[in-house]
Amino acid sequence: MDNIWNHYYGVAYKLSLVCGMWPHLERRTRIFRISVLTAIMVTIVIPQLAFQYRCKGDIQCTLTSTLGYLLSLVILVKVYTFQLNIHELKILTEHLYVDWKMVENSEEQEIMKSYANHTRLYSLIYSVYCVIGLYILMCVCLVPFILDVILPLNESRPMLSPHPAYYFVDEKKYFIYIFIHALLGWKIVLVGVISHDCMFVSYVQHICSMFAVTGYRFKYLFYECNEMIKDTSDDFNEKYHARFTYLVQTHRETLRLAQLLENTFTKPFGLQIVIATIGLSITLQQITVESNLLTVFRYILYVIGQLIHLFCLNFQGQKLLDNSIQICDKIYNSPWYKLPIKMRKLLMLVMMKTYRPTFFSAAKLYVFSLENFAMVLQTSMSYFTVLASF
């Protein structure tokens, strides 16, 4: 069991352990590590505030500084979501381990492994993508210095700051120190973002796997060794009545976990959706007015990163919707006609329950799905049009 855990959930576990977001971490250790992460975040926010102060009412400067605020705010929301919901997240994390012991055969274990493997692949790809994206965004500002060495001009090329911030010193003279601080600071706080998203995907994929296992059990309720059982004796009915009751309880427990996930993340995701929509709109507006090609390139990368982040969340929401609904189809394809009348009525109640799909939302207003992902893009474009009109 430990080998399975380390193989499929090792990336999310190690990252969350480092930044103090692992729910089962000792309280004193967790507070210390999250305090260090917060202190580093403060060293990034203070220069952003100073940059905002120097804008002196300049709209373009203000919008540029706003993008930095929004990104910092998203990071703080993600990091402290885990700190403010420790009890709920402990329950969800325990099920990642305990439910593996409840599988009854190799087919169910393969179902669990397939969903856990999705978690592992997502964690690896997402972590690499975030780190590479950060290095590209930061290292773009080194291009003017490299060009000054390779293709020097009569005067130095304009300096490009690692991020919208003012460090109270001569930025040209201390550029290397500013660059190192920005790179290391954002790299450290990015660990909290990756940890949050990987753990969240772990929870979603595990709930989807439990829906899939429950549907499999309903579909093959009257099968043993891949052959349908023809026995209809009283002992048979009593045996399978107990098994059917167990399946109903498993389904209800999975629904309870999905509701716990929804209650834990709905408010933070509501704030994140608002921030992402505003951030997309401002970034698109900045692209249209910016003349520096390197800055435009960074804005384009920022837009791509926001879209990928939103798509991943909506894709996970779509998978949860699909897996919760598919149970009804699997029950219908099972030999339900062999059940006694009393059990058929219970089965109808389960099927009626699946007609109300399980989902996770943002502030109970926005349901994460691929269809609604397009709606967010349309809303961002609308806000962009309003900003561009000014």
Side-chain angles (χ1 to χ4, degrees):
M1 184 62 217
D2 290 335
N3 292 333
I4 292 177
W5 173 270
N6 292 329
H7 180 72
Y8 293 114
Y9 304 107
V11 175
Y13 166 69
K14 292 174 183 177
L15 289 175
S16 60
L17 200 64
V18 168
C19 61
M21 295 173 63
W22 181 247
H24 294 280
L25 195 62
E26 185 181 353
R27 184 172 181 271
R28 185 176 299 177
T29 305
R30 186 179 70 250
I31 292 175
F32 172 76
R33 293 180 182 179
I34 205 66
S35 298
V36 173
L37 193 66
T38 304
I40 295 172
M41 194 69 217
V42 169
T43 65
I44 295 175
V45 172
I46 290 177
Q48 290 178 338
L49 292 172
F51 183 87
Q52 171 71 47
Y53 178 77
R54 295 185 72 196
C55 287
K56 303 295 184 180
D58 187 332
I59 295 179
Q60 292 302 326
C61 178
T62 302
L63 291 176
T64 301
S65 63
T66 301
L67 290 175
Y69 291 140
L70 293 178
L71 183 57
S72 300
L73 183 58
V74 167
I75 294 174
L76 289 175
V77 170
K78 286 180 177 293
V79 169
Y80 279 93
T81 295
F82 273 64
Q83 306 307 311
L84 300 177
N85 299 279
I86 289 296
H87 176 70
E88 293 82 357
L89 294 172
K90 280 183 178 180
I91 297 174
L92 290 168
T93 307
E94 287 171 356
H95 277 273
L96 289 178
Y97 189 88
V98 173
D99 289 339
W100 278 86
K101 299 179 180 180
M102 307 301 290
V103 295
E104 299 177 353
N105 52 52
S106 59
E107 287 81 5
E108 293 181 5
Q109 190 174 49
E110 288 302 316
I111 293 174
M112 297 282 287
K113 285 183 178 180
S114 66
Y115 284 91
N117 194 50
H118 293 162
T119 300
R120 180 173 180 270
L121 288 176
Y122 175 88
S123 299
L124 291 173
I125 294 174
Y126 188 73
S127 300
V128 173
Y129 150 75
C130 288
V131 173
I132 292 177
L134 175 65
Y135 274 101
I136 293 176
L137 283 172
M138 289 293 174
C139 292
V140 166
C141 65
L142 296 177
V143 173
F145 289 89
I146 297 174
L147 291 178
D148 283 341
V149 175
I150 300 175
L151 300 171
L153 300 176
N154 293 332
E155 58 182 11
S156 298
R157 290 176 173 83
M159 186 186 66
L160 187 62
S161 176
H163 65 116
Y166 175 63
Y167 282 84
F168 308 98
V169 294
D170 186 340
E171 294 185 0
K172 290 185 178 180
K173 182 178 180 181
Y174 295 97
F175 176 81
I176 296 300
Y177 300 101
I178 293 174
F179 175 79
I180 293 174
H181 169 265
L183 181 62
L184 294 179
W186 283 109
K187 186 177 180 179
I188 293 172
V189 299
L190 188 65
V191 175
V193 176
I194 298 173
S195 174
H196 172 280
D197 292 345
C198 290
M199 287 300 298
F200 176 75
V201 171
S202 300
Y203 299 143
V204 174
Q205 289 295 324
H206 180 70
I207 293 174
C208 289
S209 70
M210 292 307 299
F211 277 128
V213 168
T214 303
Y216 172 86
R217 290 174 178 175
F218 273 118
K219 184 176 181 179
Y220 293 97
L221 179 62
F222 286 96
Y223 284 80
E224 284 187 4
C225 299
N226 296 324
E227 293 185 1
M228 186 181 295
I229 300 174
K230 299 181 179 180
D231 186 7
T232 57
S233 62
D234 293 338
D235 292 339
F236 167 83
N237 291 334
E238 183 178 349
K239 173 184 175 182
Y240 279 86
H241 183 274
R243 177 170 173 77
F244 180 81
T245 303
Y246 170 73
L247 291 184
V248 173
Q249 292 175 348
T250 303
H251 182 240
R252 294 180 64 181
E253 178 65 18
T254 306
L255 291 175
R256 188 184 71 83
L257 285 179
Q259 187 61 49
L260 183 62
L261 181 78
E262 159 74 5
N263 294 337
T264 302
F265 288 94
T266 182
K267 292 180 180 179
F269 276 138
L271 185 57
Q272 290 181 49
I273 285 292
V274 172
I275 294 172
T277 304
I278 297 174
L280 276 173
S281 304
I282 295 177
T283 308
L284 291 173
Q285 189 273 339
Q286 291 292 87
I287 291 175
T288 60
V289 301
E290 183 60 53
S291 58
N292 190 317
L293 293 179
L294 289 177
T295 304
V296 171
F297 176 68
R298 290 174 66 177
Y299 283 143
I300 292 174
L301 291 179
Y302 186 65
V303 169
I304 294 173
Q306 289 175 313
L307 293 178
I308 291 176
H309 179 253
L310 284 175
F311 176 79
C312 290
L313 292 178
N314 283 277
F315 181 72
Q316 297 302 321
Q318 187 67 51
K319 293 200 70 172
L320 187 61
L321 279 168
D322 294 341
N323 279 272
S324 64
I325 294 174
Q326 287 172 1
I327 290 183
C328 183
D329 296 333
K330 293 178 180 179
I331 291 176
Y332 182 78
N333 292 325
S334 68
W336 52 268
Y337 45 85
K338 286 183 169 290
L339 293 173
I341 298 297
K342 182 178 180 180
M343 293 174 66
R344 291 184 198 177
K345 292 180 179 179
L346 292 175
L347 197 60
M348 289 180 63
L349 293 176
V350 175
M351 295 179 71
M352 291 173 62
K353 190 72 174 177
T354 60
Y355 285 148
R356 299 177 58 187
T358 302
F359 57 85
F360 64 91
S361 66
K364 306 291 185 180
L365 299 175
Y366 173 87
V367 176
F368 286 95
S369 66
L370 295 181
E371 181 180 358
N372 288 336
F373 172 66
M375 185 186 71
V376 171
L377 298 185
Q378 292 175 354
T379 305
S380 298
M381 290 301 296
S382 299
Y383 291 153
F384 157 66
T385 305
V386 173
L387 286 173
S389 65
F390 285 98

